[in-house]
Amino acid sequence: MPTDDWPGEILNNQRIMVIIFLIAILLAALFLPGFWVRRVMARYSEPADRYSVTGREAARRLLDLNGLRDVGVEATETGDHYSPLEKMVRLSDDNFSGSSLTAVTIAAHEVGHAVQDAVGYPALRLRTQLVRWVGPIQKVGAVLLMGAPMIVAVTRIPSAGLLMVLGGVLTLGTGVLVHMVTLPTEFDASFGKALPMLREHDVLIEGDEYHARRLLRAAAMTYVSASLMSLLNIARWWAILRR
């Protein structure tokens, strides 16, 4: 027997398709930046002997040319980065001992952070201070998150649930804040510092600048992916809290 429900079914199907489409966009926004960064890094890691210097040697040369002889260069297993507190450029093993375009370009990017530190780049100084504060703040937030349900159960005061909100803000919000401050720092290290150094000191082989720009963009985009994941964690936490 025919029914008159088919317009409603079509509407429901359309809603489902819209939801699926929005989820697909969200997943793409979250994971594609990280995938693209890894792809670019891997692509220009070959040939491994493209340059006559290693990443370590390139970093050391650029540091010396900028008068930063007190800044060291060492290999690390925790990812390429510069430590303002220890005055140390740290490169992954492949970039430290490799001579690929990736190794040389990423070394220049990390030296860019050292130059920022030397000139007192405001965003880097702010990020360094935030990193010092974030650890203790997140520990306090974690204690509040774990203790709030017990406090609510014992006191039976609904407003005690605000402690959980505060704990979430301290735990997750501080991480997002660090990532947001990091973004301008990363782009300046790539295009305000590293790229001019690579040009001025003729580090790159002719024709490699276009590809180096892609690498420098990828280096800066590393924190975009981390920022998006932090925002997703906040959204998930808020959705759970509202149940």
Side-chain angles (χ1 to χ4, degrees):
M1 182 176 180
T3 66
D4 296 329
D5 292 339
W6 61 269
E9 292 178 2
I10 292 176
L11 183 60
N12 287 334
N13 290 337
Q14 289 176 337
R15 288 175 177 171
I16 292 172
M17 293 301 295
V18 169
I19 292 172
I20 293 174
F21 179 70
L22 292 175
I23 291 174
I25 292 177
L26 176 61
L27 291 175
L30 288 171
F31 296 107
L32 282 181
F35 173 79
W36 180 79
V37 167
R38 290 190 296 273
R39 183 174 177 273
V40 171
M41 297 288 185
R43 177 180 178 181
Y44 296 115
S45 293
E46 298 293 339
D49 59 349
R50 181 165 178 78
Y51 283 80
S52 60
V53 295
T54 63
R56 179 191 67 81
E57 291 167 339
R60 182 71 271 158
R61 178 190 171 197
L62 292 174
L63 287 167
D64 291 346
L65 288 170
N66 282 278
L68 301 177
R69 292 178 176 80
D70 60 325
V71 176
V73 184
E74 66 181 19
T76 182
E77 295 181 356
T78 58
D80 306 290
H81 65 279
Y82 168 70
S83 171
L85 301 180
E86 299 172 87
K87 308 300 180 187
M88 187 69 68
V89 168
R90 295 194 171 104
L91 302 173
S92 61
D93 288 334
D94 289 342
N95 292 335
F96 183 82
S97 57
S99 300
S100 65
L101 177 59
T102 293
V104 170
T105 305
I106 297 305
H109 173 84
E110 299 307 334
V111 171
H113 286 306
V115 174
Q116 288 176 334
D117 187 24
V119 301
Y121 184 67
L124 180 65
R125 294 175 64 182
L126 176 58
R127 182 186 182 280
T128 302
Q129 291 297 327
L130 286 175
V131 169
R132 289 179 177 177
W133 300 334
V134 160
I137 290 175
Q138 288 183 335
K139 289 180 181 178
V140 172
V143 170
L144 290 176
L145 280 175
M146 292 185 292
M150 185 179 301
I151 295 173
V152 172
V154 172
T155 63
R156 298 187 181 279
I157 301 175
S159 59
L162 293 175
L163 291 174
M164 184 174 291
V165 175
L166 178 59
V169 170
L170 293 177
T171 303
L172 300 175
T174 50
V176 172
L177 180 60
V178 169
H179 287 314
M180 292 304 178
V181 172
T182 298
L183 293 179
T185 305
E186 293 297 318
F187 278 98
D188 179 75
S190 281
F191 298 104
K193 303 294 186 294
L195 188 58
M197 282 191 292
L198 292 171
R199 287 173 176 167
E200 180 183 354
H201 302 299
D202 295 321
V203 176
L204 298 174
I205 295 173
E206 185 176 354
D208 273 4
E209 182 175 324
Y210 169 79
H211 306 292
R213 290 179 69 92
R214 294 193 71 199
L215 279 164
L216 290 171
R217 189 174 295 111
M221 287 286 287
T222 301
Y223 283 89
V224 172
S225 179
S227 299
L228 292 173
M229 291 303 296
S230 295
L231 291 174
L232 176 63
N233 288 333
I234 287 181
R236 290 171 57 189
W237 168 76
W238 183 248
I240 293 172
L241 193 64
R242 294 186 63 182
R243 289 179 183 176

PDB file of all heavy atoms in Angstrom, residues 107-136:
ATOM      1  N   ALA A 107      67.273  22.820   8.480  1.00  0.00           N
ATOM      2  CA  ALA A 107      68.335  23.389   9.318  1.00  0.00           C
ATOM      3  C   ALA A 107      68.252  24.911   9.304  1.00  0.00           C
ATOM      4  O   ALA A 107      68.374  25.569  10.355  1.00  0.00           O
ATOM      5  CB  ALA A 107      69.697  22.923   8.820  1.00  0.00           C
ATOM      6  N   ALA A 108      68.021  25.491   8.124  1.00  0.00           N
ATOM      7  CA  ALA A 108      67.890  26.952   8.022  1.00  0.00           C
ATOM      8  C   ALA A 108      66.670  27.455   8.787  1.00  0.00           C
ATOM      9  O   ALA A 108      66.718  28.513   9.429  1.00  0.00           O
ATOM     10  CB  ALA A 108      67.801  27.357   6.552  1.00  0.00           C
ATOM     11  N   HIS A 109      65.589  26.701   8.732  1.00  0.00           N
ATOM     12  CA  HIS A 109      64.377  27.083   9.475  1.00  0.00           C
ATOM     13  C   HIS A 109      64.652  27.144  10.974  1.00  0.00           C
ATOM     14  O   HIS A 109      64.244  28.109  11.652  1.00  0.00           O
ATOM     15  CB  HIS A 109      63.257  26.081   9.188  1.00  0.00           C
ATOM     16  CG  HIS A 109      62.029  26.285  10.020  1.00  0.00           C
ATOM     17  ND1 HIS A 109      61.041  27.189   9.693  1.00  0.00           N
ATOM     18  CD2 HIS A 109      61.636  25.703  11.187  1.00  0.00           C
ATOM     19  CE1 HIS A 109      60.091  27.153  10.610  1.00  0.00           C
ATOM     20  NE2 HIS A 109      60.437  26.263  11.530  1.00  0.00           N
ATOM     21  N   GLU A 110      65.331  26.140  11.495  1.00  0.00           N
ATOM     22  CA  GLU A 110      65.616  26.124  12.938  1.00  0.00           C
ATOM     23  C   GLU A 110      66.613  27.222  13.310  1.00  0.00           C
ATOM     24  O   GLU A 110      66.519  27.817  14.392  1.00  0.00           O
ATOM     25  CB  GLU A 110      66.130  24.748  13.362  1.00  0.00           C
ATOM     26  CG  GLU A 110      65.141  23.607  13.121  1.00  0.00           C
ATOM     27  CD  GLU A 110      63.764  23.857  13.736  1.00  0.00           C
ATOM     28  OE1 GLU A 110      63.661  24.610  14.720  1.00  0.00           O
ATOM     29  OE2 GLU A 110      62.789  23.296  13.212  1.00  0.00           O
ATOM     30  N   VAL A 111      67.566  27.502  12.428  1.00  0.00           N
ATOM     31  CA  VAL A 111      68.459  28.640  12.664  1.00  0.00           C
ATOM     32  C   VAL A 111      67.648  29.935  12.679  1.00  0.00           C
ATOM     33  O   VAL A 111      67.960  30.869  13.433  1.00  0.00           O
ATOM     34  CB  VAL A 111      69.571  28.698  11.589  1.00  0.00           C
ATOM     35  CG1 VAL A 111      70.371  29.995  11.698  1.00  0.00           C
ATOM     36  CG2 VAL A 111      70.507  27.500  11.733  1.00  0.00           C
ATOM     37  N   GLY A 112      66.599  29.984  11.866  1.00  0.00           N
ATOM     38  CA  GLY A 112      65.707  31.149  11.885  1.00  0.00           C
ATOM     39  C   GLY A 112      65.148  31.413  13.268  1.00  0.00           C
ATOM     40  O   GLY A 112      65.032  32.571  13.696  1.00  0.00           O
ATOM     41  N   HIS A 113      64.818  30.353  13.993  1.00  0.00           N
ATOM     42  CA  HIS A 113      64.340  30.514  15.372  1.00  0.00           C
ATOM     43  C   HIS A 113      65.450  31.061  16.275  1.00  0.00           C
ATOM     44  O   HIS A 113      65.193  31.879  17.169  1.00  0.00           O
ATOM     45  CB  HIS A 113      63.843  29.183  15.920  1.00  0.00           C
ATOM     46  CG  HIS A 113      62.515  28.755  15.365  1.00  0.00           C
ATOM     47  ND1 HIS A 113      61.394  29.562  15.403  1.00  0.00           N
ATOM     48  CD2 HIS A 113      62.137  27.609  14.758  1.00  0.00           C
ATOM     49  CE1 HIS A 113      60.378  28.921  14.856  1.00  0.00           C
ATOM     50  NE2 HIS A 113      60.802  27.745  14.446  1.00  0.00           N
ATOM     51  N   ALA A 114      66.675  30.597  16.053  1.00  0.00           N
ATOM     52  CA  ALA A 114      67.804  31.096  16.852  1.00  0.00           C
ATOM     53  C   ALA A 114      68.016  32.585  16.605  1.00  0.00           C
ATOM     54  O   ALA A 114      68.321  33.345  17.537  1.00  0.00           O
ATOM     55  CB  ALA A 114      69.070  30.313  16.511  1.00  0.00           C
ATOM     56  N   VAL A 115      67.850  33.002  15.344  1.00  0.00           N
ATOM     57  CA  VAL A 115      67.967  34.432  15.024  1.00  0.00           C
ATOM     58  C   VAL A 115      66.839  35.210  15.703  1.00  0.00           C
ATOM     59  O   VAL A 115      67.067  36.306  16.248  1.00  0.00           O
ATOM     60  CB  VAL A 115      67.941  34.643  13.492  1.00  0.00           C
ATOM     61  CG1 VAL A 115      67.903  36.131  13.159  1.00  0.00           C
ATOM     62  CG2 VAL A 115      69.154  33.989  12.845  1.00  0.00           C
ATOM     63  N   GLN A 116      65.627  34.660  15.688  1.00  0.00           N
ATOM     64  CA  GLN A 116      64.517  35.307  16.394  1.00  0.00           C
ATOM     65  C   GLN A 116      64.859  35.509  17.866  1.00  0.00           C
ATOM     66  O   GLN A 116      64.594  36.575  18.439  1.00  0.00           O
ATOM     67  CB  GLN A 116      63.258  34.437  16.286  1.00  0.00           C
ATOM     68  CG  GLN A 116      62.603  34.404  14.918  1.00  0.00           C
ATOM     69  CD  GLN A 116      61.420  33.444  14.880  1.00  0.00           C
ATOM     70  OE1 GLN A 116      61.362  32.485  15.656  1.00  0.00           O
ATOM     71  NE2 GLN A 116      60.495  33.697  13.977  1.00  0.00           N
ATOM     72  N   ASP A 117      65.423  34.490  18.461  1.00  0.00           N
ATOM     73  CA  ASP A 117      65.798  34.558  19.876  1.00  0.00           C
ATOM     74  C   ASP A 117      66.834  35.655  20.098  1.00  0.00           C
ATOM     75  O   ASP A 117      66.752  36.431  21.067  1.00  0.00           O
ATOM     76  CB  ASP A 117      66.344  33.201  20.316  1.00  0.00           C
ATOM     77  CG  ASP A 117      66.607  33.124  21.812  1.00  0.00           C
ATOM     78  OD1 ASP A 117      65.979  33.892  22.570  1.00  0.00           O
ATOM     79  OD2 ASP A 117      67.451  32.301  22.210  1.00  0.00           O
ATOM     80  N   ALA A 118      67.794  35.742  19.191  1.00  0.00           N
ATOM     81  CA  ALA A 118      68.880  36.721  19.344  1.00  0.00           C
ATOM     82  C   ALA A 118      68.377  38.158  19.231  1.00  0.00           C
ATOM     83  O   ALA A 118      68.886  39.053  19.916  1.00  0.00           O
ATOM     84  CB  ALA A 118      69.963  36.459  18.297  1.00  0.00           C
ATOM     85  N   VAL A 119      67.390  38.379  18.371  1.00  0.00           N
ATOM     86  CA  VAL A 119      66.885  39.743  18.161  1.00  0.00           C
ATOM     87  C   VAL A 119      65.694  40.058  19.057  1.00  0.00           C
ATOM     88  O   VAL A 119      65.138  41.165  18.999  1.00  0.00           O
ATOM     89  CB  VAL A 119      66.506  39.976  16.682  1.00  0.00           C
ATOM     90  CG1 VAL A 119      67.708  39.762  15.781  1.00  0.00           C
ATOM     91  CG2 VAL A 119      65.335  39.089  16.254  1.00  0.00           C
ATOM     92  N   GLY A 120      65.286  39.095  19.879  1.00  0.00           N
ATOM     93  CA  GLY A 120      64.170  39.338  20.797  1.00  0.00           C
ATOM     94  C   GLY A 120      62.825  39.377  20.121  1.00  0.00           C
ATOM     95  O   GLY A 120      61.962  40.204  20.460  1.00  0.00           O
ATOM     96  N   TYR A 121      62.605  38.490  19.157  1.00  0.00           N
ATOM     97  CA  TYR A 121      61.325  38.432  18.436  1.00  0.00           C
ATOM     98  C   TYR A 121      60.190  38.233  19.451  1.00  0.00           C
ATOM     99  O   TYR A 121      60.176  37.248  20.198  1.00  0.00           O
ATOM    100  CB  TYR A 121      61.361  37.287  17.431  1.00  0.00           C
ATOM    101  CG  TYR A 121      60.137  37.182  16.561  1.00  0.00           C
ATOM    102  CD1 TYR A 121      59.836  38.159  15.621  1.00  0.00           C
ATOM    103  CD2 TYR A 121      59.295  36.081  16.657  1.00  0.00           C
ATOM    104  CE1 TYR A 121      58.722  38.051  14.818  1.00  0.00           C
ATOM    105  CE2 TYR A 121      58.180  35.958  15.852  1.00  0.00           C
ATOM    106  CZ  TYR A 121      57.899  36.959  14.927  1.00  0.00           C
ATOM    107  OH  TYR A 121      56.787  36.841  14.129  1.00  0.00           O
ATOM    108  N   PRO A 122      59.226  39.166  19.521  1.00  0.00           N
ATOM    109  CA  PRO A 122      58.213  39.144  20.590  1.00  0.00           C
ATOM    110  C   PRO A 122      57.414  37.848  20.678  1.00  0.00           C
ATOM    111  O   PRO A 122      57.189  37.335  21.780  1.00  0.00           O
ATOM    112  CB  PRO A 122      57.303  40.327  20.233  1.00  0.00           C
ATOM    113  CG  PRO A 122      58.166  41.246  19.429  1.00  0.00           C
ATOM    114  CD  PRO A 122      59.078  40.355  18.655  1.00  0.00           C
ATOM    115  N   ALA A 123      56.956  37.307  19.542  1.00  0.00           N
ATOM    116  CA  ALA A 123      56.132  36.092  19.578  1.00  0.00           C
ATOM    117  C   ALA A 123      56.910  34.906  20.136  1.00  0.00           C
ATOM    118  O   ALA A 123      56.357  34.081  20.870  1.00  0.00           O
ATOM    119  CB  ALA A 123      55.610  35.773  18.178  1.00  0.00           C
ATOM    120  N   LEU A 124      58.202  34.819  19.809  1.00  0.00           N
ATOM    121  CA  LEU A 124      59.014  33.719  20.348  1.00  0.00           C
ATOM    122  C   LEU A 124      59.217  33.881  21.849  1.00  0.00           C
ATOM    123  O   LEU A 124      59.151  32.908  22.606  1.00  0.00           O
ATOM    124  CB  LEU A 124      60.364  33.661  19.640  1.00  0.00           C
ATOM    125  CG  LEU A 124      61.305  32.546  20.129  1.00  0.00           C
ATOM    126  CD1 LEU A 124      60.717  31.177  19.813  1.00  0.00           C
ATOM    127  CD2 LEU A 124      62.694  32.682  19.506  1.00  0.00           C
ATOM    128  N   ARG A 125      59.446  35.104  22.294  1.00  0.00           N
ATOM    129  CA  ARG A 125      59.618  35.352  23.730  1.00  0.00           C
ATOM    130  C   ARG A 125      58.340  34.998  24.482  1.00  0.00           C
ATOM    131  O   ARG A 125      58.393  34.381  25.558  1.00  0.00           O
ATOM    132  CB  ARG A 125      59.994  36.815  23.957  1.00  0.00           C
ATOM    133  CG  ARG A 125      61.365  37.179  23.394  1.00  0.00           C
ATOM    134  CD  ARG A 125      61.664  38.665  23.529  1.00  0.00           C
ATOM    135  NE  ARG A 125      61.738  39.085  24.914  1.00  0.00           N
ATOM    136  CZ  ARG A 125      61.955  40.333  25.316  1.00  0.00           C
ATOM    137  NH1 ARG A 125      62.136  41.285  24.391  1.00  0.00           N
ATOM    138  NH2 ARG A 125      62.028  40.635  26.582  1.00  0.00           N
ATOM    139  N   LEU A 126      57.187  35.377  23.906  1.00  0.00           N
ATOM    140  CA  LEU A 126      55.909  35.056  24.544  1.00  0.00           C
ATOM    141  C   LEU A 126      55.701  33.550  24.590  1.00  0.00           C
ATOM    142  O   LEU A 126      55.283  33.002  25.616  1.00  0.00           O
ATOM    143  CB  LEU A 126      54.767  35.731  23.783  1.00  0.00           C
ATOM    144  CG  LEU A 126      53.343  35.417  24.276  1.00  0.00           C
ATOM    145  CD1 LEU A 126      53.176  35.806  25.730  1.00  0.00           C
ATOM    146  CD2 LEU A 126      52.312  36.122  23.393  1.00  0.00           C
ATOM    147  N   ARG A 127      55.997  32.858  23.495  1.00  0.00           N
ATOM    148  CA  ARG A 127      55.831  31.411  23.465  1.00  0.00           C
ATOM    149  C   ARG A 127      56.734  30.736  24.496  1.00  0.00           C
ATOM    150  O   ARG A 127      56.316  29.791  25.184  1.00  0.00           O
ATOM    151  CB  ARG A 127      56.142  30.866  22.076  1.00  0.00           C
ATOM    152  CG  ARG A 127      55.941  29.359  21.970  1.00  0.00           C
ATOM    153  CD  ARG A 127      56.397  28.810  20.633  1.00  0.00           C
ATOM    154  NE  ARG A 127      56.140  27.388  20.552  1.00  0.00           N
ATOM    155  CZ  ARG A 127      56.909  26.447  21.092  1.00  0.00           C
ATOM    156  NH1 ARG A 127      58.021  26.804  21.738  1.00  0.00           N
ATOM    157  NH2 ARG A 127      56.603  25.169  20.987  1.00  0.00           N
ATOM    158  N   THR A 128      57.971  31.213  24.620  1.00  0.00           N
ATOM    159  CA  THR A 128      58.903  30.629  25.585  1.00  0.00           C
ATOM    160  C   THR A 128      58.367  30.766  26.999  1.00  0.00           C
ATOM    161  O   THR A 128      58.440  29.821  27.811  1.00  0.00           O
ATOM    162  CB  THR A 128      60.280  31.313  25.477  1.00  0.00           C
ATOM    163  OG1 THR A 128      60.774  31.178  24.135  1.00  0.00           O
ATOM    164  CG2 THR A 128      61.277  30.674  26.433  1.00  0.00           C
ATOM    165  N   GLN A 129      57.811  31.929  27.320  1.00  0.00           N
ATOM    166  CA  GLN A 129      57.221  32.133  28.642  1.00  0.00           C
ATOM    167  C   GLN A 129      56.000  31.236  28.850  1.00  0.00           C
ATOM    168  O   GLN A 129      55.824  30.640  29.924  1.00  0.00           O
ATOM    169  CB  GLN A 129      56.818  33.603  28.819  1.00  0.00           C
ATOM    170  CG  GLN A 129      57.986  34.563  28.922  1.00  0.00           C
ATOM    171  CD  GLN A 129      58.854  34.300  30.142  1.00  0.00           C
ATOM    172  OE1 GLN A 129      58.369  33.880  31.192  1.00  0.00           O
ATOM    173  NE2 GLN A 129      60.160  34.521  30.001  1.00  0.00           N
ATOM    174  N   LEU A 130      55.153  31.128  27.815  1.00  0.00           N
ATOM    175  CA  LEU A 130      53.958  30.298  27.933  1.00  0.00           C
ATOM    176  C   LEU A 130      54.312  28.844  28.168  1.00  0.00           C
ATOM    177  O   LEU A 130      53.670  28.162  28.977  1.00  0.00           O
ATOM    178  CB  LEU A 130      53.105  30.432  26.659  1.00  0.00           C
ATOM    179  CG  LEU A 130      52.330  31.740  26.485  1.00  0.00           C
ATOM    180  CD1 LEU A 130      51.638  31.765  25.120  1.00  0.00           C
ATOM    181  CD2 LEU A 130      51.301  31.920  27.601  1.00  0.00           C
ATOM    182  N   VAL A 131      55.328  28.356  27.463  1.00  0.00           N
ATOM    183  CA  VAL A 131      55.741  26.959  27.633  1.00  0.00           C
ATOM    184  C   VAL A 131      56.181  26.707  29.068  1.00  0.00           C
ATOM    185  O   VAL A 131      55.923  25.636  29.639  1.00  0.00           O
ATOM    186  CB  VAL A 131      56.863  26.610  26.630  1.00  0.00           C
ATOM    187  CG1 VAL A 131      57.488  25.261  26.970  1.00  0.00           C
ATOM    188  CG2 VAL A 131      56.324  26.595  25.206  1.00  0.00           C
ATOM    189  N   ARG A 132      56.837  27.687  29.676  1.00  0.00           N
ATOM    190  CA  ARG A 132      57.263  27.538  31.079  1.00  0.00           C
ATOM    191  C   ARG A 132      56.065  27.423  32.006  1.00  0.00           C
ATOM    192  O   ARG A 132      56.090  26.670  32.981  1.00  0.00           O
ATOM    193  CB  ARG A 132      58.110  28.742  31.497  1.00  0.00           C
ATOM    194  CG  ARG A 132      59.495  28.792  30.869  1.00  0.00           C
ATOM    195  CD  ARG A 132      60.214  30.041  31.335  1.00  0.00           C
ATOM    196  NE  ARG A 132      61.579  30.116  30.830  1.00  0.00           N
ATOM    197  CZ  ARG A 132      62.395  31.143  31.042  1.00  0.00           C
ATOM    198  NH1 ARG A 132      61.973  32.179  31.762  1.00  0.00           N
ATOM    199  NH2 ARG A 132      63.620  31.140  30.538  1.00  0.00           N
ATOM    200  N   TRP A 133      55.004  28.163  31.691  1.00  0.00           N
ATOM    201  CA  TRP A 133      53.829  28.192  32.562  1.00  0.00           C
ATOM    202  C   TRP A 133      52.860  27.044  32.298  1.00  0.00           C
ATOM    203  O   TRP A 133      52.147  26.613  33.205  1.00  0.00           O
ATOM    204  CB  TRP A 133      53.071  29.513  32.390  1.00  0.00           C
ATOM    205  CG  TRP A 133      53.876  30.730  32.714  1.00  0.00           C
ATOM    206  CD1 TRP A 133      54.936  30.827  33.565  1.00  0.00           C
ATOM    207  CD2 TRP A 133      53.686  32.047  32.177  1.00  0.00           C
ATOM    208  NE1 TRP A 133      55.428  32.104  33.590  1.00  0.00           N
ATOM    209  CE2 TRP A 133      54.681  32.884  32.761  1.00  0.00           C
ATOM    210  CE3 TRP A 133      52.792  32.616  31.277  1.00  0.00           C
ATOM    211  CZ2 TRP A 133      54.783  34.240  32.457  1.00  0.00           C
ATOM    212  CZ3 TRP A 133      52.884  33.967  30.976  1.00  0.00           C
ATOM    213  CH2 TRP A 133      53.869  34.761  31.557  1.00  0.00           C
ATOM    214  N   VAL A 134      52.824  26.558  31.067  1.00  0.00           N
ATOM    215  CA  VAL A 134      51.791  25.607  30.667  1.00  0.00           C
ATOM    216  C   VAL A 134      51.860  24.316  31.478  1.00  0.00           C
ATOM    217  O   VAL A 134      50.824  23.792  31.893  1.00  0.00           O
ATOM    218  CB  VAL A 134      51.887  25.301  29.150  1.00  0.00           C
ATOM    219  CG1 VAL A 134      51.191  23.992  28.809  1.00  0.00           C
ATOM    220  CG2 VAL A 134      51.262  26.434  28.358  1.00  0.00           C
ATOM    221  N   GLY A 135      53.066  23.776  31.699  1.00  0.00           N
ATOM    222  CA  GLY A 135      53.188  22.521  32.432  1.00  0.00           C
ATOM    223  C   GLY A 135      52.489  22.548  33.785  1.00  0.00           C
ATOM    224  O   GLY A 135      51.581  21.739  34.041  1.00  0.00           O
ATOM    225  N   PRO A 136      52.864  23.472  34.684  1.00  0.00           N
ATOM    226  CA  PRO A 136      52.191  23.547  35.991  1.00  0.00           C
ATOM    227  C   PRO A 136      50.698  23.840  35.880  1.00  0.00           C
ATOM    228  O   PRO A 136      49.890  23.268  36.630  1.00  0.00           O
ATOM    229  CB  PRO A 136      52.923  24.705  36.689  1.00  0.00           C
ATOM    230  CG  PRO A 136      54.249  24.776  36.014  1.00  0.00           C
ATOM    231  CD  PRO A 136      54.001  24.394  34.592  1.00  0.00           C
TER     232      PRO A 136
END
